[in-house]
Amino acid sequence: MKAQDTSELFFDNVRIPSGNMLGAEGRGFAQMMTKLPQERLAQAIRSATVTETVIEWTVKYTAERMAFGQSIADFQNTQFVLADLRARATTARVYTDKCIELFMEDKLDPVDAAIAKMVTSELHCETVDKCLQLFGGWGYMWEYPICRAYADARVVKIAGGSIEVMKTIIARDMFKGSLKLKKSSV
């Protein structure tokens, strides 16, 4: 993400005292796997929030921006696009909030987290793309937050597990016991 200073780190000839080990030796990946639903929920929360925020920016912008003697918001297409996005964002938020409740009760399972992550991250990318279009050429200028949101959006369908991994988790749950699906560490 453009807003983060993410970089690759290399550690050569570094020794760490055994007392500083987190968990059992050789079990790091397994330990990390226990927190994947939490990470995917965090991804869903971020995507739901960005989706709502981008819609708000676009409503404000289209209400003020004039073209052909009227505001961009006066065009039926603008209204339909934003109404559709808002309805879907509201639905995604309700599911995400339910997942937050499940997490707080220690009941969030990998399938619900995968559904929330998949749906919200796909909607996040679609919303940013459609809203940038309503900003027109202005939306592709770095000074506008919509441009920066667009630049950062694509990674949400990868971070925390790709969309394809989320679909695999969901499908395996749907077909458990009826198909001989290969086990993997998704």
Side-chain angles (χ1 to χ4, degrees), residues 1-6 142 147-153 155:
M1 295 183 68
K2 302 279 186 192
Q4 295 180 0
D5 60 351
T6 304
W142 197 248
C147 182
R148 295 189 301 275
Y150 184 82
D152 285 343
V155 74

Side-chain angles (χ1 to χ4, degrees), residues 2-183:
K2 302 279 186 192
Q4 295 180 0
D5 60 351
T6 304
S7 63
E8 192 172 5
L9 300 175
F10 296 92
F11 298 95
D12 294 320
N13 299 317
V14 175
R15 295 184 54 83
I16 308 224
S18 60
N20 291 354
M21 185 177 301
L22 300 174
E25 186 172 350
R27 300 286 305 149
F29 186 74
Q31 185 175 341
M32 184 193 74
M33 292 284 293
T34 66
K35 298 297 182 188
L36 284 177
Q38 181 179 348
E39 178 186 7
R40 291 171 178 155
L41 176 58
Q43 297 286 342
I45 293 166
R46 178 179 63 171
S47 285
T49 303
V50 171
T51 297
E52 294 161 347
T53 301
V54 165
I55 292 168
E56 289 174 18
W57 294 340
T58 308
V59 167
K60 184 176 188 296
Y61 177 82
T62 58
E64 295 171 357
R65 179 74 172 153
M66 303 298 285
F68 306 106
Q70 60 184 358
S71 76
I72 304 282
D74 288 327
F75 291 99
Q76 189 177 50
N77 179 68
T78 302
Q79 295 169 17
F80 283 5
V81 167
L82 290 172
D84 177 65
L85 292 173
R86 179 178 177 201
R88 292 168 56 211
T90 300
T91 303
R93 170 56 74 183
V94 169
Y95 191 76
T96 301
D97 287 349
K98 178 61 180 173
C99 287
I100 293 169
E101 289 176 21
L102 291 171
F103 174 76
M104 297 303 290
E105 296 168 1
D106 200 27
K107 295 179 183 176
L108 180 64
D109 66 40
V111 176
D112 284 325
I115 291 169
K117 196 269 186 205
M118 182 184 80
V119 168
T120 58
S121 60
E122 287 184 328
L123 182 59
H124 175 165
C125 288
E126 181 184 351
T127 300
V128 171
D129 183 61
K130 286 184 175 182
C131 287
L132 185 141
Q133 187 70 27
L134 292 172
F135 274 77
W138 290 104
Y140 212 68
M141 296 175 71
W142 197 248
E143 303 83 63
Y144 279 85
I146 188 74
C147 182
R148 295 189 301 275
Y150 184 82
D152 285 343
R154 186 57 178 89
V155 74
V156 303
K157 294 200 290 186
I158 300 167
S162 70
I163 293 299
E164 293 76 17
V165 169
M166 298 307 103
K167 288 178 180 180
T168 300
I169 292 167
I170 297 163
R172 283 191 179 147
D173 183 67
M174 293 169 65
F175 292 105
K176 65 184 169 201
S178 64
L179 291 178
K180 295 178 183 174
L181 298 173
K182 292 181 186 177
K183 284 228 175 203

